[in-house]
Amino acid sequence: MGIDRSINLDDLRIIAKRRVPNLIYDFIEGGVDDEAGLDRNESAYRQRRLLPRYMVDISKIDQSIQLFGKTYSSAYGIAPTGGIGNFRRGGDLMLARAARDANIPFIMSGAATAAMEDMAKQAPDHGWYQLYTAKDRSISEDQIRRAADLGIPALVVTVDVPITPNRERNRRNGFGRPLKLSLATKMEALRHPFWLRDYFNHGIAMLENWKAYAPPGSSAEQVGEFVSTQIPTSLTWGDIERFRSLWPRTFILKGIMRSDDAVRAADVGVDGLIVSNHGARQLDRAPPALDMLPALDAAVGDRMTLMLDGGIRRGADIVVALASGAKFVFLGRPTLYGVIAGGDAGAAKAVQIVRDEINKILAQIGCPVLRDCGPDFLCRDQEGRNVRP
């Protein structure tokens, strides 16, 4: 099956899985500990029911939405995913271009394998930057200044990576710094010639946004080792206040799950939150972002923009999230599957599949204007609780 015959995001996942060796696929697909959080993230959407309204004119569907003063073509964007150049060479900028062409935002990961300067050239109005805070705060402050000088519209500070998590798939595969690959892992990689060609031609991809801070002349591997000495690190509210003072435009925190943290964020001038459990890749016992959204909406929904990510696999999931109170949604793994499966065309295909599915769901529930998708489209019991199986 080629990407032109893919009809849903899982088709792209299957193609991507064939293209890369198991150690790469496990890095992308895996969670932590027992990986129960992965299923909870997806199940949270599957358990919600949409209540359709009929006898509505659905001849024209309008997905456009305003976010931080800009009109986007739909209410979803591409979440940050790190190390993309090790999966598909040039993949970061492929996703940035797909977002630009579809008029949706793309968040460049703090562990990107392309430079923010190149993103700003290719997607100046659609590329945001995610900050992974360094132990040496002067590095983070310099990255913030670089992004600000480039005119990048939004800074996303990820707050939910205080320590290195227990990703057991990676440990079993020897995927880390340095690589400790078993003979079986190496032999399995030989079955993926397209990926192997890129690896032998180019080696490990450079973490471009960190290269300037490593010792001069460092190789990609050495820059990666340097980064591993700088992140992860714990943050304080003092750091957030400092970063807010340095950043002149939209300032977002990613990873907030508690109402009291959300209130504190609003108090220090944060513009928006991406409610997230890091795709179930940090704390396996964390709740899905969708489950936490109502409490956060009640606490700060009138003070800041609430977005979320994690577990999105269908356009229907995005509609459920919007009906549950989210103003915007980001998805990471599905668009990553697209770019691995087919480069620029695969990234565009993933984005288009999501858009088409949203169109069908909005028509099916009788909500021709996405901005009007609210809680009345969720099926609830007599006590007002979401109906689940």
Side-chain angles (χ1 to χ4, degrees):
M1 178 191 297
I3 60 167
D4 55 329
R5 299 179 60 190
S6 298
I7 63 173
N8 60 32
L9 296 173
D10 198 57
D11 288 344
L12 295 176
R13 180 191 64 81
I14 292 169
I15 298 171
K17 184 177 182 180
R18 290 200 296 261
R19 191 182 189 280
V20 296
N22 284 344
L23 81 157
I24 296 293
Y25 181 78
D26 281 349
F27 174 82
I28 296 166
E29 192 75 353
V32 292
D33 297 341
D34 299 317
E35 297 192 340
L38 294 172
D39 182 65
R40 279 198 303 274
N41 273 3
E42 296 185 31
S43 294
Y45 296 97
R46 292 195 298 265
Q47 290 173 357
R48 266 62 172 191
R49 299 290 177 259
L50 290 167
L51 188 62
R53 175 185 293 140
Y54 297 118
M55 281 67 73
V56 175
D57 182 3
I58 57 167
S59 58
K60 183 178 180 181
I61 302 295
D62 179 7
Q63 291 192 34
S64 66
I65 196 162
Q66 278 216 337
L67 183 70
F68 303 121
K70 179 176 174 57
T71 300
Y72 291 105
S73 293
S74 192
Y76 67 96
I78 300 177
T81 49
I84 300 176
N86 294 310
F87 321 142
R88 181 83 183 213
R89 199 63 51 165
D92 299 88
L93 297 180
M94 293 175 184
L95 288 172
R97 290 191 291 268
R100 176 200 65 199
D101 294 345
N103 188 31
I104 60 174
F106 161 73
I107 308 176
M108 172 174 273
S109 170
T113 50
M116 66 175 83
E117 288 80 5
D118 290 332
M119 177 188 69
K121 290 177 184 176
Q122 298 196 28
D125 299 321
H126 298 84
W128 302 1
Y129 186 68
Q130 175 210 30
L131 183 75
Y132 276 128
T133 305
K135 289 184 173 70
D136 180 351
R137 296 298 197 260
S138 68
I139 293 175
S140 299
E141 293 185 6
D142 189 63
Q143 288 186 338
I144 291 171
R145 292 188 184 98
R146 284 169 59 192
D149 290 345
L150 289 167
I152 288 174
L155 180 71
V156 180
V157 180
T158 289
V159 301
D160 59 357
V161 188
I163 62 170
T164 301
N166 182 33
R167 296 178 185 169
E168 294 183 358
R169 293 201 207 193
N170 294 352
R171 293 172 63 189
R172 294 187 193 284
N173 289 332
F175 191 91
R177 295 189 184 278
L179 289 173
K180 297 179 181 178
L181 306 183
S182 68
L183 178 60
T185 299
K186 293 176 181 177
M187 293 300 293
E188 195 279 331
L190 293 175
R191 297 168 53 194
H192 304 272
F194 293 108
W195 178 87
L196 206 61
R197 178 196 61 197
D198 281 349
Y199 179 77
F200 280 126
N201 285 343
H202 304 286
I204 295 292
M206 176 68 75
L207 297 175
E208 294 288 349
N209 293 311
W210 292 81
K211 183 168 60 174
Y213 313 110
S218 293
S219 65
E221 183 66 33
Q222 289 167 332
V223 171
E225 291 173 359
F226 170 77
V227 172
S228 69
T229 69
Q230 290 293 320
I231 56 174
T233 186
S234 59
L235 286 167
T236 69
W237 284 106
D239 293 315
I240 299 304
E241 291 175 7
R242 173 62 176 162
F243 296 161
R244 168 71 281 189
S245 72
L246 292 173
W247 184 253
R249 289 178 284 278
T250 300
F251 186 77
I252 298 164
L253 298 187
K254 181 178 182 294
I256 295 290
M257 298 283 278
R258 295 173 58 103
S259 296
D260 52 354
D261 283 342
V263 171
R264 185 78 179 267
D267 289 343
V268 301
V270 173
D271 298 305
L273 302 178
I274 300 178
V275 186
S276 173
N277 64 14
H278 212 96
R281 290 168 64 81
Q282 286 297 125
L283 177 65
D284 198 35
R285 302 300 176 93
L290 187 65
D291 286 352
M292 303 313 299
L293 186 61
L296 271 65
D297 192 23
V300 298
D302 59 341
R303 301 179 64 189
M304 60 173 57
T305 299
L306 293 181
M307 302 160 281
L308 68 93
D309 74 1
I312 302 289
R313 297 296 181 269
R314 285 281 186 180
D317 298 338
I318 294 172
V319 175
V320 164
L322 298 174
S324 300
K327 298 299 186 291
F328 211 83
V329 175
F330 288 90
L331 58 162
R333 288 183 178 95
T335 48
L336 193 55
Y337 300 145
V339 80
I340 293 170
D344 282 294
K349 182 73 171 182
V351 170
Q352 186 62 47
I353 285 172
V354 175
R355 181 175 178 82
D356 291 346
E357 288 188 351
I358 293 174
N359 264 351
K360 289 181 172 61
I361 294 298
L362 291 176
Q364 193 68 49
I365 66 174
C367 180
V369 178
L370 183 65
R371 299 183 297 278
D372 296 337
C373 184
D376 55 321
F377 287 102
L378 288 177
C379 190
R380 300 178 184 273
D381 62 19
Q382 291 181 345
E383 283 73 41
R385 295 170 299 195
N386 289 327
V387 171
R388 305 187 187 191

